Amino acid sequence: MASRCCLIHYHEIGLKGKNRSTFERQLMTNLAHGLRGLPVASISRVSGHLLATFSSPEAPEQAMPLIARIPGVARVSLAFRTAQDPAEYLPAAVSALGEVEHFSTFKVQAKRANTSYHLHTIELNREVGAALCEAFPTKDVDVHNPEATVHVLFNEGDVYIYSQSERGVGGLPVGTAGKCVSLFSSGFDSPVATWMMGRRGATMVPVHFSGRPQTSDASEWLCQDLVEAMASEGAIGRLYVVPFGDCQREIALAVPQALRIIMYRRLMYAVAEQIAHIEGAKALVTGESLGQVASQTLENITATSEVVTTMPILRPLIGTDKQEIIARAKAIGTYEVSEQTAPDCCTLFMPRRPETHAKPKAVSEAWASFDHAAMVETLLGSLEYVDYDFCPSYKPAKRWAELHTALAHASF
């Protein structure tokens, strides 16, 4: 008797060598976590695929869009699972093709993996194709450019038959590439950069620099909305918020106006590097795109980056333009939140004419004109955080365990 299940395909994991099982196990953990709201019966390995079974007949279809958003998944198929018996798999093939809307041509693509079934692939294609031609006499077979394809996979004593598939985000499972701290705003760029690094297997710890108390806390709530929008990815376990407004005010009074932005960003980098050390993160991540704004010229990127001396700064968007970033934001579900405006540190005490080609000597002199080391300690002592249960691979830092201000009491 046929049952419904989700057959999960991966690509990049399949290219791994002796540590392939490590990636598969992490993906299985992430899938179980991402599907925890559904009646999952099991998640198992099936010869180059993962298989999710459920105790409810409606659950596999509900699970498909959730599975597709989990990094490491190349494609997910809503499959029929049957015994290796023509009386079971032929009707299932007819049902699978019947689920396809608006097609006039089809083909069968059979595959045998780890099986001793007596029919070979070509014979299976003919057998299943004959059953489909009988069931759909007005449809034509086209083996080169079909409008519908019925996949038939013989594997380990079972048959998996499907025509419905949804493309996944690909990449690697979160938790297989270490931990990164990202500089996180409520705009378009940094959430996309954070998502992209999660897609490469990194566990992400975003840090938001708020303009509070010089501005409202509106940007902080938008950042929380962004983290929730990316919940399905399962890459974020904690969001830090750093009240940055008073330090910005001090810097604005101490340094030449044209260099304010560079000083702000240097201080952010210095704080983020310290948070990364405490979190055990191995890199910082930013949403910078070369030349997009004044602070993102090569000279200014160099001037801000030099304060970070113990880890790399990763910039996944460096070669993209704004339209590409916005398109990605729409695809991952952050666009609607990011298009909302809120006062934050990026709009606070901004110079009329920011420096676009900072000179190293001028930057050094401005940096020495205020006590940046004391500011770092002050900011580390005043930060707040919100913990989420989205990311099974996130292990919180022990420091700040007793520091829960009003923002940190929220539970999501």
Side-chain angles (χ1 to χ4, degrees):
M1 181 177 179
S3 60
R4 301 311 297 267
C5 59
C6 287
L7 194 63
I8 300 155
H9 315 252
Y10 50 73
H11 170 65
E12 201 165 342
I13 294 175
L15 303 177
K16 300 298 179 182
K18 295 180 179 179
N19 60 346
R20 172 173 163 176
S21 61
T22 300
F23 288 83
E24 288 178 326
R25 285 195 298 270
Q26 185 64 58
L27 181 54
M28 291 168 65
T29 297
N30 295 350
L31 287 165
H33 193 79
L35 297 174
R36 62 195 183 280
L38 295 175
V40 178
S42 67
I43 297 176
S44 57
R45 284 182 279 190
V46 187
S47 185
H49 302 78
L50 298 181
L51 178 68
T53 63
F54 303 84
S55 57
S56 166
E58 301 83 13
E61 190 168 356
Q62 297 169 354
M64 279 187 69
L66 299 176
I67 293 172
R69 295 193 65 180
I70 295 175
V73 175
R75 185 161 49 92
V76 55
S77 301
L78 183 59
F80 291 91
R81 182 185 187 182
T82 76
Q84 292 184 1
D85 180 348
E88 290 194 21
Y89 66 72
L90 292 179
V94 172
S95 297
L97 186 57
E99 293 179 341
V100 180
E101 298 180 356
H102 311 301
F103 74 97
S104 58
T105 60
F106 71 93
K107 79 170 184 178
V108 177
Q109 187 167 316
K111 182 179 179 181
R112 300 164 73 246
N114 298 330
T115 181
S116 58
Y117 193 65
H118 65 281
L119 294 181
H120 293 285
T121 300
I122 295 176
E123 295 171 310
L124 287 168
N125 284 334
R126 289 172 179 165
E127 181 188 46
V128 176
L132 294 177
C133 287
E134 183 179 351
F136 299 91
T138 62
K139 309 299 182 182
D140 297 323
V141 175
D142 185 345
V143 298
H144 299 294
N145 297 294
E147 295 175 359
T149 300
V150 176
H151 298 266
V152 182
L153 173 64
F154 280 69
N155 196 318
E156 299 179 3
D158 292 317
V159 185
Y160 302 93
I161 303 165
Y162 60 91
S163 59
Q164 291 191 63
S165 286
E166 186 171 338
R167 184 176 180 179
V169 298
L172 297 171
V174 173
T176 59
K179 186 187 287 188
C180 295
V181 164
S182 64
L183 281 75
F184 197 80
S185 76
S186 61
F188 294 106
D189 302 346
S190 57
V192 172
T194 299
W195 181 90
M196 291 180 70
M197 292 304 300
R199 180 175 173 267
R200 297 308 306 161
T203 301
M204 300 304 298
V205 183
V207 178
H208 176 60
F209 290 88
S210 168
R212 184 161 48 92
Q214 302 296 327
T215 68
S216 72
D217 61 356
S219 68
E220 301 167 28
W221 296 105
L222 288 179
C223 285
Q224 292 188 40
D225 290 343
L226 286 166
V227 172
E228 291 185 69
M230 294 188 285
S232 297
E233 183 194 21
I236 297 174
R238 172 175 287 183
L239 167 68
Y240 284 99
V241 175
V242 182
F244 197 61
D246 284 345
C247 287
Q248 279 189 268
R249 184 175 182 275
E250 290 185 41
I251 292 171
L253 295 173
V255 307
Q257 184 183 116
L259 294 175
R260 284 179 189 172
I261 296 176
I262 294 174
M263 296 302 111
Y264 298 158
R265 293 188 68 80
R266 284 170 70 102
L267 187 58
M268 292 178 192
Y269 279 36
V271 172
E273 184 181 24
Q274 293 305 309
I275 293 174
H277 284 309
I278 294 166
E279 280 282 349
K282 303 303 182 185
L284 301 184
V285 175
T286 77
E288 291 165 309
S289 172
L290 185 62
Q292 183 170 261
V293 294
S295 64
Q296 295 173 16
T297 63
L298 284 176
E299 292 88 347
N300 289 3
I301 288 175
T302 300
T304 54
S305 300
E306 65 181 6
V307 299
V308 178
T309 60
T310 61
M311 60 186 63
I313 302 173
L314 307 179
R315 299 177 173 89
L317 305 182
I318 196 68
T320 59
D321 61 32
K322 199 67 174 183
Q323 294 307 311
E324 292 172 307
I325 295 168
I326 288 175
R328 177 71 78 173
K330 290 179 179 178
I332 66 176
T334 59
Y335 175 83
E336 288 75 13
V337 179
S338 293
E339 71 174 343
Q340 301 178 51
T341 58
D344 62 6
C345 67
C346 297
T347 58
L348 187 61
F349 304 122
M350 296 298 288
R352 288 188 297 273
R353 294 184 179 84
E355 179 63 69
T356 56
H357 302 287
K359 304 297 188 293
K361 181 179 179 182
V363 170
S364 296
E365 290 174 352
W367 188 240
S369 67
F370 62 95
D371 192 349
H372 49 268
M375 284 187 179
V376 170
E377 290 303 314
T378 298
L379 292 170
L380 288 174
S382 63
L383 60 77
E384 304 159 358
Y385 60 86
V386 184
D387 283 329
Y388 300 86
D389 65 352
F390 303 149
C391 181
S393 62
Y394 176 72
K395 302 297 185 291
K398 293 182 179 179
R399 182 171 170 178
W400 301 308
E402 302 301 323
L403 179 62
H404 274 269
T405 58
L407 183 63
H409 286 303
S411 177
F412 298 94

